[in-house]
Amino acid sequence: MANTQFSSLPISPAQVANLDSLGYKKMTDIQAQALPHILNGKDLIAQAKTGSGKTAAFGIGLLNEINPRFFGAQALILCPTRELADQVGKEIRRLARSVSNIKLVLLCGGKPFGPQVGSLQHGAHIVVGTPGRIQDHLRKNTLKLDGLKTLVLDEADRMLDMGFSDVMKEIIAQTPKKRQTLLFSATYPDEIKKMCRSILRDPVTVTVESEHKPTTIEQLFYEIKRHERNNALLALFEHYQPESAIVFCHTKLQCDEVANFLRKQKIGALAIHGDLDQRERDQVLVRFANNSCPVLVATDVAARGLDIKSLQAVINYELPRDAEIYIHRIGRTGRAGEKGIALSLFTESEQLRVKAIEKQQNKPCICDVTASLDRDIEFTLQPPMVTIQLDGGRKDKIRPGDILGALTGDAGLAGDQIGKIDIFDRSSYVAIEQSALRQALNYLSQGKVKGRSVRARKIS
Ligand code: AMP
């Protein structure tokens, strides 16, 4: 099986860190299959659909080749539609944060020509656009492709379906022969095969078997009065009833207050922010990952780099000032083709933040008021598991099997009453079904793990 760690690729540590901050923890299938070849300079034919992570596959590849000091077009990405070009441009801008001073221009039809010429005159390293408009720029000499290193044809089959075949040929003829060409297509009909033979050199072909569905995140915005925030948050839980969620706040104090408030309402929540020491942070994350805590209340900084499972809901207790941060936050739900929901509270004075998000996403935000929500006021959210901490860990040669063995053997628990086991240097954590907690603690207080007594306590 291919290595799925981004750090296994010959890319900069800054890019690995950037990917991590975007929540990209592992490569998707298409990335794991294609990136080693792309980074090796090979031409590529990839059969992959939107939602597979293909944009990052070619984006990471082309960024690796860019020389920021040369202000000519070094990468060209042809897309069939303006919407796709927009999407691709946004994703590549995010990926390009790891390299300073990279300029990307979008050249799509339906937009005024003049400003595009202006952007090109300032120098653009990456050009993303639709074939017709790129052809216009080439004909008017406002775009030159003689310094091009990477050519990407995204959704090549759709471009052919839309009748762009001749236009594409004309564009490709103006690129250097010595270039890398990456062709992405959801289908692989004869016409594409023919095209591949004429424009690719000794290409590698990769196909993604399992198709990832596009992520679907339903986004809803609720306008509230400042003093209504807590009650509105509760209304969201009572109406949407997510089984797991992350609530984003601005400040550490706010995180603590919101987590306390939720716990009082019988919604299991823990705060995570920069004031926690490493051990406390580990414990919060262990409990969240092992189903002992359904809700995390976090600052953006504390949530950065969290390797957490897909969440049913992301809730913005307050909207971030920066629309990009909003996009990062909501990307934590609806992963891997699952449906996710992103709920945001905002006050009148925060309306500008909603506008910025609309601009960023190029679509209107759906706004409502919490008074319109049906609330099940009986709603509680208690975790199925509880976490026991043992004061022995890796350095005491304790392994997960030792803990599992002790609990299912002498303590008499059933295997399915025991959840995730996490081993740290000097302590271990095991998730136990609530109903089996007494039995497990009774045994651990007297019995032994791997031949020695360990202190065990429930963490709460
Ligand atoms: P695409 O197929 O390029 O449209 O990508 C689909 C979605 O997957 C986009 O929202 C990307 O931000 C996201 N994505 C791409 N690569 C990864 C990754 N390695 N891990 C998590 N999400 C990813």
Side-chain angles (χ1 to χ4, degrees):
M1 218 179 77
N3 192 331
T4 57
Q5 299 296 318
F6 283 108
S7 56
S8 70
L9 297 170
I11 55 175
S12 70
Q15 181 63 288
V16 176
N18 181 38
L19 292 166
D20 190 71
S21 78
L22 292 172
Y24 298 6
K25 304 295 170 194
K26 286 190 314 198
M27 287 187 251
T28 63
D29 275 0
I30 184 73
Q31 292 160 2
Q33 287 192 49
L35 268 166
H37 298 297
I38 297 178
L39 292 166
N40 195 16
K42 297 288 290 180
D43 278 7
L44 180 94
I45 301 169
Q47 226 178 317
K49 293 189 179 170
T50 292
S52 59
K54 66 187 165 77
T55 315
F58 62 71
I60 293 168
L62 65 87
L63 281 165
N64 215 41
E65 289 300 309
I66 296 227
N67 172 5
R69 285 180 297 279
F70 171 65
F71 282 92
Q74 297 169 57
L76 170 67
I77 301 147
L78 288 181
C79 302
T81 63
R82 199 194 314 170
E83 290 70 32
L84 183 66
D86 252 359
Q87 235 175 302
V88 166
K90 281 191 181 126
E91 173 87 348
I92 294 187
R93 283 203 171 103
R94 285 194 283 270
L95 297 168
R97 292 188 310 199
S98 64
V99 199
S100 37
N101 299 322
I102 295 285
K103 273 198 58 185
L104 177 149
V105 292
L106 273 179
L107 302 179
C108 295
K111 300 265 167 158
F113 202 81
Q116 296 182 346
V117 175
S119 299
L120 287 168
Q121 279 165 350
H122 280 102
H125 303 99
I126 304 173
V127 175
V128 182
T130 45
R133 184 54 65 96
I134 303 269
Q135 182 189 38
D136 290 347
H137 281 284
L138 288 171
R139 287 184 171 174
K140 294 204 164 77
N141 256 328
T142 44
L143 171 67
K144 288 211 180 334
L145 296 177
D146 44 6
L148 198 80
K149 295 179 173 168
T150 318
L151 170 69
V152 180
L153 306 175
D154 197 6
E155 301 199 358
D157 49 353
R158 266 181 84 197
M159 288 199 279
L160 292 185
D161 285 347
M162 290 166 75
F164 283 132
S165 175
D166 289 342
V167 183
M168 285 159 77
K169 279 184 204 145
E170 186 182 323
I171 296 170
I172 295 168
Q174 300 208 26
T175 64
K177 290 236 157 18
K178 202 171 157 294
R179 58 161 199 265
Q180 184 180 29
T181 308
L182 311 172
L183 181 142
F184 288 76
S185 190
T187 59
Y188 200 49
D190 284 346
E191 216 188 337
I192 290 277
K193 285 191 191 125
K194 216 171 103 199
M195 179 169 186
C196 287
R197 278 197 294 274
S198 65
I199 63 165
L200 288 114
R201 272 197 311 183
D202 187 22
V204 176
T205 303
V206 300
T207 305
V208 184
E209 296 295 343
S210 60
E211 169 201 332
H212 294 249
K213 292 198 198 81
T215 48
T216 43
I217 303 174
E218 193 182 348
Q219 304 177 47
L220 295 158
F221 295 75
Y222 292 92
E223 180 161 3
I224 52 157
K225 301 263 184 301
R226 185 164 289 281
H227 65 274
E228 289 174 344
R229 240 182 249 280
N230 277 356
N231 186 38
L233 177 66
L234 191 57
L236 295 180
F237 273 101
E238 289 171 350
H239 178 81
Y240 290 100
Q241 311 203 344
E243 281 168 23
S244 62
I246 183 161
V247 179
F248 280 103
C249 295
H250 274 327
T251 65
K252 300 166 188 175
L253 183 67
Q254 214 179 27
C255 286
D256 283 330
E257 285 174 357
V258 169
N260 274 333
F261 167 75
L262 288 174
R263 283 196 297 268
K264 280 204 191 101
Q265 307 298 327
K266 300 204 168 54
I267 294 173
L270 290 172
I272 183 157
H273 52 62
D275 276 357
L276 303 187
D277 63 29
Q278 189 59 41
R279 194 184 53 96
E280 290 168 322
R281 186 178 154 88
D282 288 343
Q283 287 192 355
V284 171
L285 294 181
V286 160
R287 290 166 71 188
F288 189 64
N290 74 11
N291 287 328
S292 309
C293 164
V295 180
L296 270 192
V297 186
T299 56
D300 289 299
V301 176
R304 196 175 294 156
L306 286 190
D307 185 13
I308 46 180
K309 59 191 171 176
S310 170
L311 294 161
Q312 280 188 3
V314 167
I315 302 180
N316 292 304
Y317 186 73
E318 246 186 61
L319 277 178
R321 286 183 195 90
D322 180 343
E324 283 257 344
I325 295 179
Y326 171 84
I327 304 289
H328 287 176
R329 286 183 179 182
I330 70 165
R332 295 191 173 276
T333 181
R335 293 251 176 98
E338 283 169 32
K339 202 164 156 9
I341 185 153
L343 307 167
S344 303
L345 301 176
F346 70 99
T347 59
E348 200 182 347
S349 64
E350 290 158 5
Q351 259 167 357
L352 279 178
R353 301 183 189 179
V354 179
K355 291 270 171 299
I357 293 166
E358 290 184 330
K359 196 155 163 249
Q360 174 86 11
Q361 303 196 104
N362 204 10
K363 64 174 185 190
C365 293
I366 303 172
C367 297
D368 202 347
V369 288
T370 48
S372 70
L373 295 174
D374 274 338
R375 297 173 67 164
D376 173 5
I377 50 168
E378 301 284 302
F379 177 71
T380 61
L381 186 54
Q382 296 303 325
M385 311 296 272
V386 53
T387 300
I388 295 178
Q389 178 182 14
L390 305 173
D391 70 349
R394 201 175 291 120
K395 297 230 158 108
D396 309 289
K397 308 246 176 318
I398 289 189
R399 288 167 308 170
D402 302 323
I403 297 174
L404 190 65
L407 289 171
T408 53
D410 295 343
L413 269 71
D416 59 6
Q417 292 178 305
I418 301 164
K420 197 163 176 278
I421 297 175
D422 293 279
I423 312 274
F424 288 76
D425 277 356
R426 287 286 174 205
S427 53
S428 309
Y429 300 92
V430 52
I432 304 285
E433 235 175 52
Q434 296 273 8
S435 60
L437 174 67
R438 274 281 122 239
Q439 195 182 342
L441 278 179
N442 281 345
Y443 169 80
L444 290 170
S445 62
Q446 296 147 17
K448 296 190 165 164
V449 175
K450 213 175 183 188
R452 76 176 192 98
S453 309
V454 291
R455 277 221 328 254
R457 66 185 183 92
K458 168 187 161 201
I459 35 179
S460 53

Short mmCIF file of all heavy atoms in Angstrom, two decimals, residues 306-355:
data_model
loop_
_atom_site.label_atom_id
_atom_site.label_comp_id
_atom_site.label_asym_id
_atom_site.label_seq_id
_atom_site.Cartn_x
_atom_site.Cartn_y
_atom_site.Cartn_z
N LEU A 306 -5.48 19.51 15.02
CA LEU A 306 -6.14 18.40 15.73
C LEU A 306 -6.45 17.29 14.75
O LEU A 306 -7.05 17.54 13.71
CB LEU A 306 -7.48 18.85 16.30
CG LEU A 306 -7.51 19.74 17.52
CD1 LEU A 306 -8.93 19.84 18.05
CD2 LEU A 306 -6.60 19.18 18.58
N ASP A 307 -6.05 16.11 15.10
CA ASP A 307 -6.37 14.99 14.21
C ASP A 307 -7.64 14.34 14.71
O ASP A 307 -7.60 13.36 15.43
CB ASP A 307 -5.20 14.00 14.22
CG ASP A 307 -5.43 12.88 13.23
OD1 ASP A 307 -6.35 13.02 12.39
OD2 ASP A 307 -4.72 11.89 13.30
N ILE A 308 -8.77 14.95 14.38
CA ILE A 308 -10.01 14.42 14.92
C ILE A 308 -10.86 13.81 13.83
O ILE A 308 -10.80 14.22 12.68
CB ILE A 308 -10.81 15.49 15.69
CG1 ILE A 308 -10.88 16.77 14.88
CG2 ILE A 308 -10.22 15.74 17.05
CD1 ILE A 308 -11.66 17.86 15.54
N LYS A 309 -11.65 12.84 14.27
CA LYS A 309 -12.52 12.17 13.32
C LYS A 309 -13.51 13.16 12.73
O LYS A 309 -13.65 14.27 13.22
CB LYS A 309 -13.27 11.06 14.07
CG LYS A 309 -14.06 11.67 15.21
CD LYS A 309 -14.60 10.67 16.17
CE LYS A 309 -15.15 11.52 17.31
NZ LYS A 309 -15.81 11.03 18.36
N SER A 310 -14.21 12.72 11.74
CA SER A 310 -15.19 13.60 11.14
C SER A 310 -16.29 13.93 12.15
O SER A 310 -16.74 13.07 12.89
CB SER A 310 -15.79 12.89 9.93
OG SER A 310 -16.89 13.61 9.49
N LEU A 311 -16.70 15.15 12.17
CA LEU A 311 -17.70 15.60 13.13
C LEU A 311 -19.03 15.81 12.45
O LEU A 311 -19.07 16.20 11.29
CB LEU A 311 -17.26 16.96 13.68
CG LEU A 311 -16.01 16.94 14.50
CD1 LEU A 311 -15.43 18.33 14.59
CD2 LEU A 311 -16.37 16.41 15.87
N GLN A 312 -20.10 15.60 13.20
CA GLN A 312 -21.41 15.85 12.57
C GLN A 312 -21.66 17.33 12.42
O GLN A 312 -22.31 17.77 11.49
CB GLN A 312 -22.50 15.23 13.42
CG GLN A 312 -22.62 13.76 13.17
CD GLN A 312 -23.83 13.19 13.87
OE1 GLN A 312 -24.61 13.90 14.51
NE2 GLN A 312 -23.97 11.90 13.78
N ALA A 313 -21.16 18.12 13.37
CA ALA A 313 -21.47 19.55 13.30
C ALA A 313 -20.29 20.41 13.72
O ALA A 313 -19.54 20.05 14.62
CB ALA A 313 -22.67 19.86 14.20
N VAL A 314 -20.16 21.53 13.05
CA VAL A 314 -19.25 22.58 13.49
C VAL A 314 -20.14 23.77 13.83
O VAL A 314 -21.02 24.14 13.05
CB VAL A 314 -18.26 22.98 12.38
CG1 VAL A 314 -17.54 24.26 12.73
CG2 VAL A 314 -17.25 21.87 12.16
N ILE A 315 -19.95 24.30 15.03
CA ILE A 315 -20.79 25.44 15.43
C ILE A 315 -19.89 26.64 15.71
O ILE A 315 -18.92 26.54 16.46
CB ILE A 315 -21.62 25.08 16.69
CG1 ILE A 315 -22.48 23.85 16.41
CG2 ILE A 315 -22.49 26.28 17.11
CD1 ILE A 315 -23.35 23.39 17.57
N ASN A 316 -20.21 27.74 15.08
CA ASN A 316 -19.48 28.98 15.35
C ASN A 316 -20.26 29.78 16.37
O ASN A 316 -21.29 30.38 16.05
CB ASN A 316 -19.31 29.78 14.06
CG ASN A 316 -18.38 29.08 13.11
OD1 ASN A 316 -17.25 28.78 13.46
ND2 ASN A 316 -18.87 28.79 11.91
N TYR A 317 -19.78 29.75 17.61
CA TYR A 317 -20.40 30.53 18.68
C TYR A 317 -20.28 32.01 18.32
O TYR A 317 -21.16 32.80 18.57
CB TYR A 317 -19.66 30.22 19.98
CG TYR A 317 -20.25 30.81 21.22
CD1 TYR A 317 -21.44 30.30 21.77
CD2 TYR A 317 -19.61 31.85 21.89
CE1 TYR A 317 -21.97 30.84 22.92
CE2 TYR A 317 -20.13 32.38 23.05
CZ TYR A 317 -21.31 31.87 23.56
OH TYR A 317 -21.82 32.40 24.72
N GLU A 318 -19.16 32.34 17.71
CA GLU A 318 -18.96 33.67 17.13
C GLU A 318 -18.30 33.46 15.78
O GLU A 318 -17.47 32.57 15.64
CB GLU A 318 -18.01 34.47 18.01
CG GLU A 318 -18.65 35.66 18.65
CD GLU A 318 -17.64 36.50 19.40
OE1 GLU A 318 -16.71 37.01 18.76
OE2 GLU A 318 -17.81 36.63 20.61
N LEU A 319 -18.62 34.28 14.80
CA LEU A 319 -17.97 34.13 13.50
C LEU A 319 -16.56 34.70 13.52
O LEU A 319 -16.33 35.73 14.15
CB LEU A 319 -18.78 34.86 12.43
CG LEU A 319 -19.97 34.12 11.85
CD1 LEU A 319 -20.68 35.00 10.85
CD2 LEU A 319 -19.55 32.81 11.18
N PRO A 320 -15.64 34.06 12.84
CA PRO A 320 -14.29 34.63 12.77
C PRO A 320 -14.30 35.88 11.88
O PRO A 320 -15.15 36.02 11.02
CB PRO A 320 -13.47 33.52 12.12
CG PRO A 320 -14.45 32.71 11.36
CD PRO A 320 -15.76 32.81 12.08
N ARG A 321 -13.30 36.76 12.09
CA ARG A 321 -13.24 37.98 11.27
C ARG A 321 -12.80 37.65 9.85
O ARG A 321 -13.11 38.36 8.92
CB ARG A 321 -12.24 38.95 11.90
CG ARG A 321 -12.81 39.58 13.13
CD ARG A 321 -11.90 40.62 13.75
NE ARG A 321 -12.38 40.90 15.10
CZ ARG A 321 -11.98 40.25 16.17
NH1 ARG A 321 -11.06 39.32 16.08
NH2 ARG A 321 -12.49 40.51 17.35
N ASP A 322 -12.09 36.55 9.71
CA ASP A 322 -11.49 36.21 8.43
C ASP A 322 -12.27 35.04 7.81
O ASP A 322 -12.42 33.99 8.42
CB ASP A 322 -10.03 35.81 8.72
CG ASP A 322 -9.27 35.43 7.47
OD1 ASP A 322 -9.92 35.16 6.45
OD2 ASP A 322 -8.04 35.39 7.55
N ALA A 323 -12.77 35.25 6.59
CA ALA A 323 -13.59 34.22 5.95
C ALA A 323 -12.82 32.93 5.72
O ALA A 323 -13.39 31.84 5.72
CB ALA A 323 -14.15 34.76 4.64
N GLU A 324 -11.51 33.04 5.51
CA GLU A 324 -10.69 31.82 5.31
C GLU A 324 -10.74 30.94 6.55
O GLU A 324 -10.75 29.71 6.45
CB GLU A 324 -9.23 32.21 5.08
CG GLU A 324 -8.95 32.73 3.70
CD GLU A 324 -8.27 31.68 2.84
OE1 GLU A 324 -7.75 30.69 3.39
OE2 GLU A 324 -8.28 31.85 1.62
N ILE A 325 -10.73 31.58 7.71
CA ILE A 325 -10.76 30.79 8.95
C ILE A 325 -12.09 30.07 9.06
O ILE A 325 -12.16 28.92 9.48
CB ILE A 325 -10.51 31.70 10.18
CG1 ILE A 325 -9.09 32.25 10.09
CG2 ILE A 325 -10.73 30.94 11.49
CD1 ILE A 325 -8.69 33.17 11.21
N TYR A 326 -13.15 30.76 8.62
CA TYR A 326 -14.46 30.10 8.61
C TYR A 326 -14.41 28.83 7.76
O TYR A 326 -14.88 27.78 8.17
CB TYR A 326 -15.52 31.08 8.07
CG TYR A 326 -16.85 30.42 7.80
CD1 TYR A 326 -17.79 30.25 8.83
CD2 TYR A 326 -17.18 29.94 6.53
CE1 TYR A 326 -18.99 29.62 8.59
CE2 TYR A 326 -18.38 29.31 6.29
CZ TYR A 326 -19.29 29.16 7.32
OH TYR A 326 -20.48 28.52 7.08
N ILE A 327 -13.79 28.94 6.59
CA ILE A 327 -13.72 27.78 5.68
C ILE A 327 -12.93 26.64 6.36
O ILE A 327 -13.33 25.47 6.29
CB ILE A 327 -13.02 28.17 4.35
CG1 ILE A 327 -13.75 29.34 3.69
CG2 ILE A 327 -12.92 26.98 3.40
CD1 ILE A 327 -15.09 29.05 3.10
N HIS A 328 -11.85 26.98 7.03
CA HIS A 328 -11.09 25.94 7.74
C HIS A 328 -11.93 25.28 8.80
O HIS A 328 -11.94 24.06 8.96
CB HIS A 328 -9.86 26.52 8.44
CG HIS A 328 -8.80 26.89 7.49
ND1 HIS A 328 -7.64 27.49 7.88
CD2 HIS A 328 -8.72 26.72 6.17
CE1 HIS A 328 -6.91 27.71 6.82
NE2 HIS A 328 -7.55 27.25 5.77
N ARG A 329 -12.63 26.13 9.57
CA ARG A 329 -13.43 25.58 10.66
C ARG A 329 -14.45 24.58 10.13
O ARG A 329 -14.55 23.46 10.62
CB ARG A 329 -14.18 26.70 11.37
CG ARG A 329 -13.32 27.58 12.25
CD ARG A 329 -14.24 28.58 12.93
NE ARG A 329 -13.52 29.46 13.83
CZ ARG A 329 -14.11 30.40 14.56
NH1 ARG A 329 -15.42 30.56 14.50
NH2 ARG A 329 -13.41 31.17 15.36
N ILE A 330 -15.20 24.98 9.11
CA ILE A 330 -16.30 24.11 8.68
C ILE A 330 -15.78 22.88 7.96
O ILE A 330 -16.48 21.88 7.85
CB ILE A 330 -17.37 24.85 7.84
CG1 ILE A 330 -16.82 25.23 6.47
CG2 ILE A 330 -17.92 26.05 8.57
CD1 ILE A 330 -17.92 25.62 5.50
N GLY A 331 -14.53 22.95 7.48
CA GLY A 331 -13.94 21.77 6.82
C GLY A 331 -13.78 20.59 7.76
O GLY A 331 -13.44 19.49 7.32
N ARG A 332 -14.03 20.81 9.04
CA ARG A 332 -13.89 19.70 9.98
C ARG A 332 -15.13 18.81 10.02
O ARG A 332 -15.18 17.81 10.70
CB ARG A 332 -13.61 20.22 11.39
CG ARG A 332 -12.28 20.92 11.44
CD ARG A 332 -11.86 21.22 12.83
NE ARG A 332 -10.52 21.72 12.84
CZ ARG A 332 -9.44 20.96 12.84
NH1 ARG A 332 -9.56 19.65 12.86
NH2 ARG A 332 -8.25 21.49 12.85
N THR A 333 -16.16 19.22 9.29
CA THR A 333 -17.34 18.36 9.22
C THR A 333 -17.50 17.91 7.76
O THR A 333 -16.88 18.47 6.86
CB THR A 333 -18.60 19.10 9.73
OG1 THR A 333 -19.69 18.20 9.66
CG2 THR A 333 -18.92 20.34 8.92
N GLY A 334 -18.32 16.90 7.56
CA GLY A 334 -18.61 16.46 6.19
C GLY A 334 -17.42 15.91 5.46
O GLY A 334 -17.32 16.05 4.25
N ARG A 335 -16.51 15.28 6.18
CA ARG A 335 -15.35 14.70 5.51
C ARG A 335 -15.71 13.38 4.83
O ARG A 335 -16.69 12.75 5.18
CB ARG A 335 -14.26 14.39 6.54
CG ARG A 335 -13.69 15.62 7.17
CD ARG A 335 -12.28 15.85 6.69
NE ARG A 335 -11.77 17.09 7.22
CZ ARG A 335 -10.99 17.16 8.27
NH1 ARG A 335 -10.63 16.05 8.88
NH2 ARG A 335 -10.55 18.30 8.70
N ALA A 336 -14.87 12.98 3.93
CA ALA A 336 -14.96 11.65 3.31
C ALA A 336 -16.37 11.34 2.82
O ALA A 336 -16.89 10.25 2.98
CB ALA A 336 -14.51 10.58 4.29
N GLY A 337 -16.97 12.33 2.20
CA GLY A 337 -18.27 12.09 1.57
C GLY A 337 -19.45 12.06 2.53
O GLY A 337 -20.59 11.94 2.10
N GLU A 338 -19.19 12.19 3.84
CA GLU A 338 -20.33 12.23 4.77
C GLU A 338 -20.94 13.62 4.73
O GLU A 338 -20.29 14.59 4.40
CB GLU A 338 -19.85 11.97 6.20
CG GLU A 338 -19.56 10.53 6.47
CD GLU A 338 -18.85 10.38 7.80
OE1 GLU A 338 -19.10 11.18 8.71
OE2 GLU A 338 -18.02 9.47 7.90
N LYS A 339 -22.19 13.66 5.15
CA LYS A 339 -22.84 14.96 5.17
C LYS A 339 -22.52 15.65 6.49
O LYS A 339 -22.53 15.03 7.54
CB LYS A 339 -24.35 14.74 5.05
CG LYS A 339 -25.10 15.92 4.53
CD LYS A 339 -26.47 15.42 4.12
CE LYS A 339 -27.55 16.45 4.09
NZ LYS A 339 -27.38 17.80 4.25
N GLY A 340 -22.20 16.91 6.45
CA GLY A 340 -21.92 17.63 7.69
C GLY A 340 -22.75 18.90 7.75
O GLY A 340 -23.34 19.32 6.76
N ILE A 341 -22.79 19.46 8.94
CA ILE A 341 -23.55 20.69 9.08
C ILE A 341 -22.71 21.74 9.80
O ILE A 341 -21.99 21.42 10.74
CB ILE A 341 -24.90 20.40 9.79
CG1 ILE A 341 -25.76 21.64 9.82
CG2 ILE A 341 -24.74 19.85 11.18
CD1 ILE A 341 -27.22 21.31 9.87
N ALA A 342 -22.77 22.95 9.28
CA ALA A 342 -22.02 24.06 9.90
C ALA A 342 -23.03 25.13 10.30
O ALA A 342 -23.79 25.62 9.46
CB ALA A 342 -21.03 24.63 8.89
N LEU A 343 -23.07 25.43 11.59
CA LEU A 343 -24.06 26.36 12.12
C LEU A 343 -23.33 27.55 12.72
O LEU A 343 -22.36 27.37 13.45
CB LEU A 343 -24.89 25.67 13.22
CG LEU A 343 -25.53 24.34 12.81
CD1 LEU A 343 -26.05 23.58 14.02
CD2 LEU A 343 -26.68 24.61 11.83
N SER A 344 -23.79 28.75 12.40
CA SER A 344 -23.08 29.93 12.87
C SER A 344 -24.03 30.93 13.50
O SER A 344 -25.11 31.19 12.96
CB SER A 344 -22.37 30.61 11.71
OG SER A 344 -21.49 29.71 11.08
N LEU A 345 -23.60 31.49 14.62
CA LEU A 345 -24.36 32.56 15.26
C LEU A 345 -23.69 33.89 14.93
O LEU A 345 -22.47 33.97 14.94
CB LEU A 345 -24.36 32.37 16.78
CG LEU A 345 -24.94 31.05 17.30
CD1 LEU A 345 -24.79 30.96 18.82
CD2 LEU A 345 -26.42 30.91 16.91
N PHE A 346 -24.49 34.88 14.64
CA PHE A 346 -23.90 36.21 14.43
C PHE A 346 -24.86 37.30 14.89
O PHE A 346 -26.07 37.11 14.89
CB PHE A 346 -23.50 36.43 12.96
CG PHE A 346 -24.68 36.58 12.01
CD1 PHE A 346 -25.11 37.84 11.61
CD2 PHE A 346 -25.36 35.47 11.54
CE1 PHE A 346 -26.20 37.99 10.75
CE2 PHE A 346 -26.45 35.60 10.68
CZ PHE A 346 -26.87 36.86 10.28
N THR A 347 -24.29 38.42 15.33
CA THR A 347 -25.09 39.55 15.76
C THR A 347 -25.11 40.58 14.63
O THR A 347 -24.35 40.45 13.67
CB THR A 347 -24.49 40.22 17.01
OG1 THR A 347 -23.17 40.65 16.67
CG2 THR A 347 -24.45 39.26 18.18
N GLU A 348 -25.95 41.59 14.82
CA GLU A 348 -26.07 42.61 13.78
C GLU A 348 -24.69 43.21 13.45
O GLU A 348 -24.35 43.42 12.29
CB GLU A 348 -27.02 43.70 14.26
CG GLU A 348 -27.58 44.50 13.13
CD GLU A 348 -28.48 45.61 13.63
OE1 GLU A 348 -28.87 45.61 14.81
OE2 GLU A 348 -28.78 46.50 12.80
N SER A 349 -23.91 43.42 14.52
CA SER A 349 -22.61 44.08 14.27
C SER A 349 -21.62 43.14 13.59
O SER A 349 -20.55 43.56 13.17
CB SER A 349 -22.03 44.60 15.59
OG SER A 349 -21.76 43.50 16.43
N GLU A 350 -21.96 41.85 13.48
CA GLU A 350 -21.06 40.92 12.81
C GLU A 350 -21.52 40.60 11.37
O GLU A 350 -21.00 39.68 10.74
CB GLU A 350 -20.95 39.61 13.61
CG GLU A 350 -20.19 39.78 14.91
CD GLU A 350 -20.52 38.69 15.93
OE1 GLU A 350 -21.27 37.75 15.60
OE2 GLU A 350 -20.05 38.81 17.06
N GLN A 351 -22.48 41.38 10.89
CA GLN A 351 -23.01 41.09 9.56
C GLN A 351 -21.95 41.17 8.46
O GLN A 351 -22.01 40.45 7.48
CB GLN A 351 -24.15 42.05 9.23
CG GLN A 351 -25.49 41.40 9.43
CD GLN A 351 -26.62 42.39 9.43
OE1 GLN A 351 -26.39 43.60 9.34
NE2 GLN A 351 -27.82 41.89 9.54
N LEU A 352 -20.97 42.03 8.69
CA LEU A 352 -19.91 42.17 7.69
C LEU A 352 -19.15 40.86 7.51
O LEU A 352 -18.66 40.53 6.43
CB LEU A 352 -18.92 43.25 8.11
CG LEU A 352 -19.35 44.68 7.80
CD1 LEU A 352 -18.31 45.66 8.30
CD2 LEU A 352 -19.56 44.85 6.30
N ARG A 353 -19.06 40.11 8.62
CA ARG A 353 -18.35 38.82 8.54
C ARG A 353 -19.13 37.84 7.66
O ARG A 353 -18.55 37.06 6.93
CB ARG A 353 -18.17 38.23 9.95
CG ARG A 353 -17.39 39.17 10.84
CD ARG A 353 -17.15 38.58 12.20
NE ARG A 353 -16.59 39.61 13.08
CZ ARG A 353 -16.28 39.44 14.34
NH1 ARG A 353 -16.47 38.27 14.92
NH2 ARG A 353 -15.79 40.41 15.06
N VAL A 354 -20.45 37.91 7.76
CA VAL A 354 -21.28 37.05 6.90
C VAL A 354 -21.06 37.45 5.43
O VAL A 354 -20.89 36.60 4.56
CB VAL A 354 -22.77 37.14 7.28
CG1 VAL A 354 -23.61 36.27 6.38
CG2 VAL A 354 -22.98 36.75 8.74
N LYS A 355 -21.01 38.75 5.20
CA LYS A 355 -20.79 39.25 3.83
C LYS A 355 -19.44 38.73 3.29
O LYS A 355 -19.33 38.32 2.13
CB LYS A 355 -20.78 40.78 3.81
CG LYS A 355 -22.12 41.41 4.08
CD LYS A 355 -22.89 41.62 2.78
CE LYS A 355 -24.32 42.05 2.98
NZ LYS A 355 -25.19 41.14 3.73
#
